[in-house]
Amino acid sequence: MKYLYRAYQLCIALPLVVVVTIIIATSIVIGCSLGFGHFWGYYPGRWWARVILWLLLIPVKIEGRQHLEKGQSYVFVANHQGAFDIFLIYGYLGRSFRWMMKYQLRSIPFVGWACEKSHQIFVDKRGPKKIQATYDAARQTLQGGTSVTVFPEGSRTFTGHMGVFKKGAFALADELQLPVVPLTINGSFDILPRQKGVAFVNWHRLSLTFHQPIYPVGQGPENVEAVKNQAYDSVMSALAPEYQGFVENPDQ
C-alpha cells in the first residue's frame, strides 16, 4: 500500500495540487487587488487547504472548537510539527485570521504573492525597524477584529517534540488584552517529517485540538510569562504520548 500511495501522489495528487495552488493563488491576488480582501484573504485559502488534504486522502479530526466565542478576536498559538500544520489550520480553524509567517515564505512562487496580497503578516527580524513593522501589522489586524495565528516555537520540530515558546505573540496579546487560544497539532510530523530534500507524504490522520482560551489577568511581563507557560502546558497536554516532553530544537 505504501508504494501504491506514493505512485498516486506522484502521478495524480501532485499535478492536481500544483494546478489548484496556481488557480487559488491567482484568484486571491485578483480578488484582493479588486478590494475584497476580507473574503479573498481567507476563504480561497481555506478551500485550497481542504482540497490538498482531500487529494492526499488525509483524514482530519477536530476537537474543542466550541470553546471559541463568535465575534471575538484571538491570538492562536500552535505547536509546529511540520508543513501540514498550514493545511490543517488554514482549512479547519473555522474563522477568518491572518498568519504570522517567516518573511522568507514570500519567495515561494504564487503562494508568496498571494500571501502578500492578502496581507498575511511576514515576520522579519533583520533589524529593529523591520521587527517593529511586523508588530505594527499584527496589532492593526487584531484591532480590526481579525485573529492571528502564530507558531511560537518559530520553526518546525526535527523530532516531533516541542521546543520552547518565544514570547512575541504573548506580548502582543498582553498589549491588546486579548485571549490566547492554544492549539495542539498531532500527525503532521508523521505525515512529513522535517528533512532535507524532497520526500513522499506518509498517510496519517491529522488532528487539531482547541484548548480553553486564556484570558489576561493583568498586564505586563508577569502576565506575558504566565500566559505563555499556561499555553505551553495546554498544547503539551494533548500531544501524542510519543511526542510528550521537551526536546531542544537547534533552530531556536
Side-chain angles (χ1 to χ4, degrees), residues 24 28 40-50 53 84-99 101 111 114-115 118 120 149 151 208:
I24 292 294
I28 291 172
W40 291 100
Y42 170 62
Y43 287 100
R46 181 185 183 187
W47 302 330
W48 167 74
R50 290 193 175 203
L53 293 177
F84 275 73
D85 301 343
I86 306 299
F87 307 128
L88 179 61
I89 292 178
Y90 222 155
Y92 294 92
L93 191 69
R95 62 176 55 211
S96 181
F97 72 97
R98 295 294 180 267
W99 291 102
M101 57 176 66
V111 173
C115 288
S118 59
Q120 307 302 325
T149 300
F151 295 117
L208 179 64

Side-chain angles (χ1 to χ4, degrees), residues 28 30-44 96-98 117-120 146:
I28 291 172
I30 294 173
C32 290
S33 297
L34 293 175
F36 303 103
H38 182 72
F39 176 87
W40 291 100
Y42 170 62
Y43 287 100
S96 181
F97 72 97
R98 295 294 180 267
K117 285 292 185 179
S118 59
H119 301 290
Q120 307 302 325
T146 301

Side-chain angles (χ1 to χ4, degrees), residues 58-197:
I58 303 296
V60 174
K61 181 180 180 181
I62 307 297
E63 295 180 307
R65 194 187 282 144
Q66 70 275 10
H67 297 316
L68 304 184
E69 296 180 21
K70 187 176 181 179
Q72 172 67 56
S73 296
Y74 293 106
V75 177
F76 293 98
V77 295
N79 58 313
H80 203 0
Q81 279 208 332
F84 275 73
D85 301 343
I86 306 299
F87 307 128
L88 179 61
I89 292 178
Y90 222 155
Y92 294 92
L93 191 69
R95 62 176 55 211
S96 181
F97 72 97
R98 295 294 180 267
W99 291 102
M100 291 187 70
M101 57 176 66
K102 291 182 177 180
Y103 76 92
Q104 293 93 333
L105 297 177
R106 186 185 273 121
S107 63
I108 298 176
F110 290 98
V111 173
W113 190 26
C115 288
E116 186 170 1
K117 285 292 185 179
S118 59
H119 301 290
Q120 307 302 325
I121 302 162
F122 292 100
V123 179
D124 194 336
K125 299 180 179 179
R126 294 175 297 175
K129 289 185 178 180
K130 293 184 181 294
I131 293 173
Q132 185 61 48
T134 295
Y135 281 98
D136 288 345
R139 187 182 299 108
Q140 184 177 4
T141 296
L142 287 164
Q143 289 175 333
T146 301
S147 298
V148 299
T149 300
V150 186
F151 295 117
E153 293 169 272
S155 58
R156 290 169 292 157
T157 176
F158 283 97
T159 63
H161 295 261
M162 284 169 57
V164 298
F165 276 7
K166 299 175 182 178
K167 69 178 184 179
F170 305 98
L172 185 63
D174 174 76
E175 177 187 338
L176 300 177
Q177 290 290 280
L178 290 173
V180 170
V181 177
L183 305 172
T184 300
I185 294 170
N186 278 300
S188 182
F189 182 78
D190 300 283
I191 290 174
L192 192 63
R194 184 176 179 180
Q195 55 191 313
K196 293 181 179 179

